[in-house]
Amino acid sequence: MDSPRTAVVLVGQNPTPALLSSLTLPADHLLLVGSDGTLPVARRVARAVGRLTDRASVRVLSVGPDPHDFGPVTDTLAAFHRDNGEEPWFLDYTGGTKVMSVAAALFHEQALPRDRHPQVLRWRHYLDAQRDLLRTADGSHPGRPVVGDGVDLRTLAEIHGARWLDDRDPEPVRLFVQGGKQALLARFPDMSPAVRRGVVAEGRVLSHLLRHTRRHRGTEVLGPRQVADPLHPAGAVADFDAVVRYRHRVLCVEAKSRPDDVVARAGWTVTKARRVFGGAVQVLFVHSGPAVPGLRERVTAYNPALSARSVHVWSLDDLLARLTSFEEVRKAFFPGLGAPPRGTAGARLPTEPAARPDGAEPPERHPGAGDGPVLVTSLGGSRMGTLTAVHAHRPASTLVLPSRQSVLGGMREAAARTLYAAEHPGTDRPGAALLKESGYRDRVRFTPEPVDGSDTEAVTAVARRWIADQGAGTAPGPVIVDITTGTKAMSLGLALAARRTGACVTYQLGRRRTVVCLTHGAVPLKGRASVDWPLLLPGYSPLAGPLEERACEPARGQVDTGLLDAARTALVRAAGGPVGVWMDDSLGDPVECLSAQERPSLVLTFDDRAVGLAAPGWSRRRTLGGEAHPVGRGAWAQSVFSATLLLNTGCDVAGTVVALTRPGGDVSRAVELVDWITQSEEEERRSPARIGFGEPLRPLVAVASPEDLPELFDTDVSLL
């Protein structure tokens, strides 16, 4: 059998999947493929693989500066395939952008045809993070259980660009773990009671975890650790009271002597843990004394993004009483990892790709609106891409494939309204009755049942069946398959369906306002999409007057309303087109506003673009009428990132966040922490600040006062 000797692994911003795939795939040679922006990540993975294995070669290759362009991805892999003597190769397309993944998988199918390589479906993989398997394109294959031999906490931190400060291992905690409170008092007799309580709390948690994990394979427990600051070599950028690893997953532990400290520190602790260890991390907060009713709910109320699935809050008493064995620790914090790999029972046999029927080739030119095209697309976490696809292609009929995680509410009407506005520019916003009477609602349909967002074959089958049904009509229009939204598996499934039915495959480039067809290249766009912003911005309402007048008094202590109003006024004044202004509804509620710093306070919409404005305060109240507490630089930076994630959920690449703060204090350090969280490179930090789109998870921080705003607020966003 022509088993591959080379593996190609795509690398994105999260290096852990690339490392696991590189260690799991049985190949002598490894090629890590990223873009210019992720080359540092790929090189860190390459160093780790070189240290942990005896691979004959490990190379790193870039597809160029734009990971959202099909052409360079395909050209890069085609050149590799030629240099490889057209021999077979493994592919893992988990990492990289969606365009990179789809382009790589399509090229893999084309370069290694199944009639010459019968096992090729078992050579194309993506990581199933729920089961820790490299799943293959062969539905009858059980997948490859991921291999993590040699991977330790230091390795996981290093591939994320972090390292421990080896000289910051605090002696007091180590003394307590080794000799208890008596040893601690003997060495530090003058330690204050408050400091001693903190040391004892950390030491008791660490001792308990060590006792139940130290003899189990694949586990590692470290005491207090500090993470080196990349900008200040002698300093630390983050710290953890304890860190636990089971296989490649990590639990970061924070011990607090007071329950209220958990609420205040939760957001920053989770953010720094994810920055150092990526998405496969959970956080455990342990507070001294008995359990406090409602404490977990208070954490979520203060920061709604801190779900119970990844953030645990335990009392020390409960921890000591309930976790009395390794198996209980594993079940509490690493569920599913002890289960055996998925078997083949009930697995689906691989479907034949089937040759294209006669004439099933893409049309000579890309279909325009006058051709009455049929659009097939999907619905992912963000609904923006689905709406802009309808605007771009003006389809005669549309099929949307939602996954089980998709939010369907209001989408059919919103898509119909977008289509109506594209075909009737300048008219008033149509109501639901008009959309139904004029047939626009009937031009948008959803599959009766959601598809499995991780099952490429199932998506392909559903899309092919619907395309075939359309082709049976009297005068079927040309088919366009837009793969912008949904999971990578969904996008690949749609692309495979298009390839096998002669449809055009398109992808939207939000940064350049362009649609690219895999066959015909860039497609000119006409106008800008009319977006149903209330659907994409739940929890926000139109704002006519000053925010300072609408926000309640407690809210004005959580966010800087004066600075937000000034920035909003400047951006509206600079705009050459209409601007919508939306306010976070919680700012009017004395209780709900206590978490307002975690969201953009204002969102300004410019046709199909959105700019979120955030200005977290430097003091906050955690309860109504409670004492105002100063905010640390890490907590401020975390609030900025939390607001960024929230806008990204609704707007994806069409949204960007500008965070504002006034001069004074150690603002520069807070800005550095934002850059560290978002992994901004030095070149990006040095470039002039300007509003732009395409990097939605990298907020822009502006130091300003209402009387002295920087030039970036003179930007006409309606032209971007």
Side-chain angles (χ1 to χ4, degrees):
M1 184 179 70
D2 53 348
S3 181
R5 298 184 59 218
T6 301
V8 175
V9 176
L10 303 188
V11 184
Q13 289 292 345
N14 182 8
T16 302
L19 176 63
L20 296 175
S21 295
S22 299
L23 298 176
T24 302
L25 293 174
D28 299 325
H29 305 280
L30 174 66
L31 179 64
L32 296 164
V33 178
S35 64
D36 289 357
T38 58
L39 275 183
V41 181
R43 291 184 181 120
R44 293 196 295 263
V45 173
R47 287 194 292 269
V49 173
R51 187 175 67 250
L52 297 174
T53 68
D54 56 356
R55 288 265 163 77
S57 68
V58 179
R59 293 191 297 140
V60 172
L61 194 63
S62 172
V63 300
D66 190 354
H68 301 285
D69 192 336
F70 279 102
V73 179
T74 302
D75 292 345
T76 299
L77 292 177
F80 151 74
H81 187 57
R82 289 192 300 270
D83 295 343
N84 196 48
E86 299 189 355
E87 293 294 320
W89 41 284
F90 292 112
L91 171 68
D92 183 279
Y93 60 90
T94 309
T97 64
K98 185 177 296 183
V99 165
M100 288 177 63
S101 296
V102 172
L106 291 178
F107 179 78
H108 192 261
E109 182 188 59
Q110 172 189 327
L112 302 173
R114 198 163 165 191
D115 57 349
R116 290 172 49 200
H117 304 281
Q119 299 295 315
V120 67
L121 293 182
R122 299 188 177 190
W123 302 340
R124 191 159 57 243
H125 303 80
Y126 71 95
L127 178 63
D128 183 339
Q130 298 299 316
R131 299 185 179 95
D132 284 336
L133 286 174
L134 287 188
R135 292 179 62 169
T136 75
D138 181 347
S140 67
H141 191 270
R144 301 176 185 272
V146 296
V147 174
D149 294 347
V151 174
D152 57 11
L153 286 167
R154 185 179 295 273
T155 299
L156 292 171
E158 286 176 349
I159 62 174
H160 286 86
R163 64 177 180 85
W164 305 129
L165 287 169
D166 293 323
D167 59 344
R168 304 290 178 87
D169 184 7
E171 184 183 11
V173 175
R174 189 171 64 251
L175 278 172
F176 181 88
V177 171
Q178 294 171 349
K181 192 172 182 179
Q182 184 176 0
L184 177 66
L185 292 174
R187 176 68 179 82
F188 297 99
D190 299 326
M191 182 178 286
S192 70
V195 173
R196 185 168 61 247
R197 283 195 298 270
V199 171
V200 170
E202 290 183 30
R204 293 184 70 187
V205 173
L206 179 59
S207 298
H208 194 74
L209 292 172
L210 282 168
R211 183 178 309 120
H212 296 300
T213 60
R214 69 175 72 207
R215 289 185 294 275
H216 290 270
R217 186 174 181 271
T219 62
E220 181 183 6
V221 179
L222 297 179
R225 285 296 184 274
Q226 290 188 316
V227 180
D229 189 333
L231 297 179
H232 306 280
V237 72
D239 63 349
F240 305 102
D241 292 342
V243 190
V244 182
R245 177 184 63 83
Y246 179 47
R247 299 183 185 175
H248 65 275
R249 299 191 186 271
V250 178
L251 178 72
C252 293
V253 184
E254 287 285 312
K256 301 298 179 187
S257 55
R258 298 187 307 168
D260 281 351
D261 289 340
V262 173
V263 180
R265 307 292 173 82
W268 169 233
T269 301
V270 172
T271 297
K272 65 188 180 183
R274 289 174 178 165
R275 172 60 181 83
V276 175
F277 295 111
V281 72
Q282 298 188 64
V283 174
L284 167 64
F285 294 95
V286 182
H287 63 84
S288 299
V292 176
L295 183 60
R296 183 67 189 76
E297 289 72 19
R298 285 171 56 194
V299 171
T300 304
Y302 191 67
N303 187 335
L306 304 182
S307 68
R309 185 173 61 179
S310 58
V311 181
H312 309 268
V313 181
W314 290 51
S315 72
L316 181 58
D317 291 354
D318 278 351
L319 185 83
L320 299 177
R322 292 169 54 188
L323 301 183
T324 58
S325 68
F326 168 74
E327 189 61 17
E328 288 173 342
V329 173
R330 188 196 64 75
K331 288 180 178 178
F333 306 118
F334 307 102
L337 294 186
R342 182 184 58 167
T344 58
R348 187 176 57 251
L349 292 176
T351 56
E352 293 292 334
R356 288 174 174 165
D358 293 340
E361 296 287 342
E364 291 185 4
R365 64 176 181 84
H366 188 78
D371 299 315
V374 172
L375 174 65
V376 183
T377 187
S378 57
L379 180 62
S382 170
R383 294 172 281 191
M384 173 66 88
T386 306
L387 297 178
T388 51
V390 169
H391 162 81
H393 301 295
R394 318 291 209 269
S397 60
T398 303
L399 177 70
V400 181
L401 283 72
S403 69
R404 294 185 179 92
Q405 292 74 36
S406 301
V407 181
L408 290 173
M411 265 302 296
R412 188 176 185 186
E413 186 172 302
R417 186 173 290 118
T418 297
L419 183 58
Y420 182 95
E423 297 180 349
H424 300 82
T427 58
D428 293 336
R429 184 176 187 268
L434 177 58
L435 292 173
K436 186 174 183 179
E437 292 169 4
S438 56
Y440 279 88
R441 184 178 170 86
D442 292 335
R443 288 167 63 180
V444 180
R445 288 188 283 168
F446 290 81
T447 54
E449 298 293 334
V451 297
D452 183 346
S454 62
D455 193 332
T456 296
E457 289 184 355
V459 173
T460 301
V462 171
R464 287 184 67 183
R465 190 179 309 120
W466 195 76
I467 293 172
D469 291 344
Q470 293 295 302
T474 306
V479 179
I480 300 172
V481 174
D482 190 284
I483 65 170
T484 306
T485 60
T487 64
K488 287 184 177 179
M490 293 172 72
S491 293
L492 178 56
L494 289 176
L496 290 172
R499 168 169 281 184
R500 295 164 189 172
T501 55
C504 287
V505 178
T506 62
Y507 187 87
Q508 303 168 53
L509 298 178
R511 180 183 304 184
R512 300 202 300 259
R513 287 188 182 277
T514 304
V515 171
V516 177
C517 175
L518 205 57
T519 303
H520 304 101
V523 178
L525 286 179
K526 182 180 179 181
R528 300 191 176 189
S530 175
V531 175
D532 207 343
W533 287 110
L535 182 70
L536 270 60
L537 298 173
Y540 285 78
S541 299
L543 175 66
L547 175 64
E548 195 151 6
E549 294 180 2
R550 289 281 302 276
C552 64
E553 190 277 330
R556 294 194 291 272
Q558 302 295 105
V559 300
D560 192 334
T561 52
L563 191 52
L564 289 162
D565 270 329
R568 165 261 192 109
T569 300
L571 285 174
V572 171
R573 184 172 54 241
V579 184
V581 181
W582 308 82
M583 161 190 161
D584 174 12
D585 290 338
S586 77
L587 293 172
D589 187 292
V591 175
E592 291 186 2
C593 74
L594 298 177
S595 63
Q597 66 281 348
E598 307 296 317
R599 298 177 290 276
S601 296
L602 294 176
V603 177
L604 277 56
T605 55
F606 306 79
D607 291 321
D608 55 356
R609 300 289 205 200
V611 175
L613 298 178
W618 287 94
S619 65
R620 295 176 195 157
R621 288 180 170 83
R622 295 194 286 273
T623 58
L624 183 61
E627 181 183 354
H629 299 270
V631 172
R633 298 162 298 186
W636 190 90
Q638 178 274 327
S639 291
V640 170
F641 190 57
S642 177
T644 303
L645 289 174
L646 187 140
L647 189 71
N648 176 246
T649 299
C651 303
D652 199 29
V653 295
T656 191
V657 166
V658 180
L660 301 105
T661 186
R662 301 190 189 224
D666 197 2
V667 169
S668 61
R669 181 55 176 165
V671 175
E672 288 177 353
L673 291 174
V674 172
D675 289 342
W676 178 72
I677 293 169
T678 58
Q679 303 189 54
S680 299
E681 298 298 324
E682 186 174 357
E683 294 78 10
E684 295 172 292
R685 290 192 293 268
R686 291 179 177 177
S687 61
R690 56 187 177 85
I691 296 175
F693 296 88
E695 296 288 350
L697 295 181
R698 289 185 174 171
L700 183 64
V701 180
V703 180
S705 62
E707 306 79 20
D708 185 20
L709 295 174
E711 290 184 0
L712 68 93
F713 290 100
D714 296 330
T715 304
D716 184 350
V717 180
S718 62
L719 297 178
L720 299 179

